[in-house]
Amino acid sequence: MKILITGSNGLLGQHLVKMILDTTSYEVMATSKREPRLVIQDSRIHYYSLDITDGMAVNLLLEKLRPDTIIHCAALTQVDECEQDPIKAWEINVTATRFLVEAAKQINAFMIFVSTDFVFDGIHGPYKETDEVNPVSYYGSTKVAAEKAVAESGLPYAIVRTCLLYGNILFGTRSNVISWVKENLEQGQKIKVVSDQWRTPTYIEDLAKGILLIAEKKVTGLFHISGKDFLSPYDMAMATAEYLHLDASLIEKVDAAVFTQPAKRPATTGFIIDKAKNELGYEPLSFKEGLQKMLS
C-alpha cells in the first residue's frame, strides 16, 4: 500500500510516518508546505513539498504519485486564529480539502480525513458518531464543511474525529496542556486551569494507531477516536503535577469565563468510542498510562 500524508510536519503527521515505517511494509509519501522536520532514512519514505491550497499542485502531485490511501492531517487548528482570520481558515480547512477530494477522485484513492470534537456545541457530551453537529466556533464550522465535502465525494472514505491531543512531538516544538503545565510548575509559575470544560484527552500514539487500523482494514464511515477517560484540563494538570511530584498548589482552579478568547469553546465534548472499539479493535491507553509514556 502507498499512503500519502498531508501535514507530515505536525504532531499527528510525524507520529503516523514513524508508526507506519516501524510497524508495516507500506510506502509513505510525506507532504508538507515547508521542509520536512522529521527526516527518517528509509527507502520507503519520500518527502514532497505541497501547498494544499494550490489546487493545481495538489492535482499534479496526486496524479504523479497515485497513492492508494490519503490521510489528510493538515489543517489550521488554532481556534482563535480561525475566528480572527476566517478567510485563511476556510482556505486551509475547507477549500484545500475539496482540492484533495477532487484529486483523489481521479485516482480513486481511499480518503481518511481528520476532524475534531469542536464540530459539537458541547451541551450534551460526550458524543457518539450519530449525534448532530452544531459548532460554536468558526474552526468547528470549517471542519463540518470539510467533513461534508469528504462524505459527499463518492469516494471510499473515513472521517476520524479526535479530541484534545497530548504527546511529544518527535521533532520541533509544539506545546500542549501537559507540557505547558510541566514547564510552568518546574519554573515555580502559578497557572490558572479551566475546570468547567470536559474532554476525553487523546494520546497521540493512540490516534495514530486508530487511523492506521482504518487504513489497513479500509473501513469506511465516521469514527470517534479518543482516550477513554472523561477529564477537565484541571484534572489533567493535577494528574501531571502528581506524576512529576511538582507543586500542585501553584495550580488555580478557574471557570472558562475567566479567560477572554476570540473563539467560544464547547463546554462538554469528549467521545463515546464503542464503535471504534467494536469495528476496529481500537483500545486506547488510560490517561495515566498516556501520561507515563509521554513523561517517562
Side-chain angles (χ1 to χ4, degrees):
M1 181 155 53
K2 296 197 294 186
I3 301 177
L4 183 139
I5 298 171
T6 69
S8 65
N9 272 345
L11 177 65
L12 175 58
Q14 289 187 21
H15 278 272
L16 269 170
V17 167
K18 187 173 187 303
M19 187 173 288
I20 292 167
L21 293 175
D22 285 350
T23 64
T24 77
S25 59
Y26 306 147
E27 187 180 339
V28 179
M29 302 152 184
T31 74
S32 57
K33 191 173 180 179
R34 296 177 181 86
E35 287 294 306
R37 290 177 184 160
L38 179 71
V39 177
I40 299 172
Q41 301 304 320
D42 188 309
S43 61
R44 290 174 297 134
I45 184 163
H46 309 280
Y47 295 98
Y48 300 91
S49 175
L50 178 65
D51 177 356
I52 56 169
T53 66
D54 181 339
M56 187 174 289
V58 169
N59 257 317
L60 288 171
L61 189 65
L62 265 66
E63 178 61 36
K64 175 187 168 187
L65 300 180
R66 304 189 75 83
D68 305 296
T69 299
I70 298 163
I71 305 176
H72 182 25
C73 306
L76 185 64
T77 58
Q78 287 78 14
V79 185
D80 291 329
E81 187 178 354
C82 288
E83 207 72 23
Q84 292 171 311
D85 195 345
I87 294 171
K88 180 181 177 184
W90 189 268
E91 184 181 34
I92 294 172
N93 291 350
V94 186
T95 304
T97 302
R98 289 173 176 164
F99 287 152
L100 282 158
V101 162
E102 288 307 309
K105 283 162 78 169
Q106 302 306 312
I107 57 172
N108 197 34
F110 177 46
M111 181 96 166
I112 301 175
F113 175 68
V114 181
S115 192
T116 174
D117 58 320
F118 276 40
V119 298
F120 295 110
D121 55 22
I123 296 170
H124 301 297
Y127 293 96
K128 55 185 182 294
E129 288 84 353
T130 51
D131 288 327
E132 193 172 338
V133 298
N134 185 31
V136 295
S137 66
Y138 194 73
Y139 167 63
S141 297
T142 65
K143 296 302 269 188
V144 168
E147 283 188 10
K148 191 168 184 283
V150 173
E152 293 178 354
S153 66
L155 282 168
Y157 76 89
I159 293 168
V160 174
R161 292 185 187 138
T162 194
C163 180
L164 192 57
L165 283 180
Y166 68 97
N168 296 316
I169 198 157
L170 299 174
F171 189 85
T173 56
R174 176 169 173 153
S175 183
N176 58 61
V177 65
I178 307 300
S179 55
W180 175 76
V181 169
K182 176 179 181 285
E183 286 160 18
N184 277 279
L185 297 189
E186 283 175 344
Q187 292 165 15
Q189 301 284 335
K190 289 187 175 182
I191 54 173
K192 295 179 178 182
V193 187
V194 170
S195 64
D196 61 345
Q197 291 178 352
W198 295 85
R199 308 284 185 254
T200 45
T202 311
Y203 184 54
I204 187 61
E205 289 182 24
D206 284 337
L207 176 58
K209 278 179 193 168
I211 290 171
L212 190 49
L213 283 168
I214 289 171
E216 290 180 320
K217 295 170 183 283
K218 286 282 201 294
V219 186
T220 58
L222 176 61
F223 291 92
H224 284 180
I225 292 192
S226 74
K228 53 190 171 185
D229 296 307
F230 193 51
L231 303 167
S232 71
Y234 177 76
D235 294 333
M236 296 170 70
M238 292 299 285
T240 303
E242 183 184 354
Y243 179 74
L244 293 172
H245 306 292
L246 295 170
D247 185 1
S249 70
L250 295 168
I251 303 170
E252 184 183 347
K253 183 179 186 178
V254 298
D255 292 342
V258 165
F259 301 102
T260 52
Q261 296 168 304
K264 188 177 179 186
R265 271 72 169 166
T268 302
T269 62
F271 289 146
I272 295 161
I273 56 173
D274 293 349
K275 183 182 177 185
K277 286 182 170 183
N278 295 335
E279 293 189 22
L280 303 175
Y282 172 70
E283 192 55 57
L285 300 176
S286 67
F287 179 69
K288 188 175 181 182
E289 290 167 333
L291 200 60
Q292 287 168 347
K293 278 199 84 172
M294 179 181 174
L295 299 174
S296 61

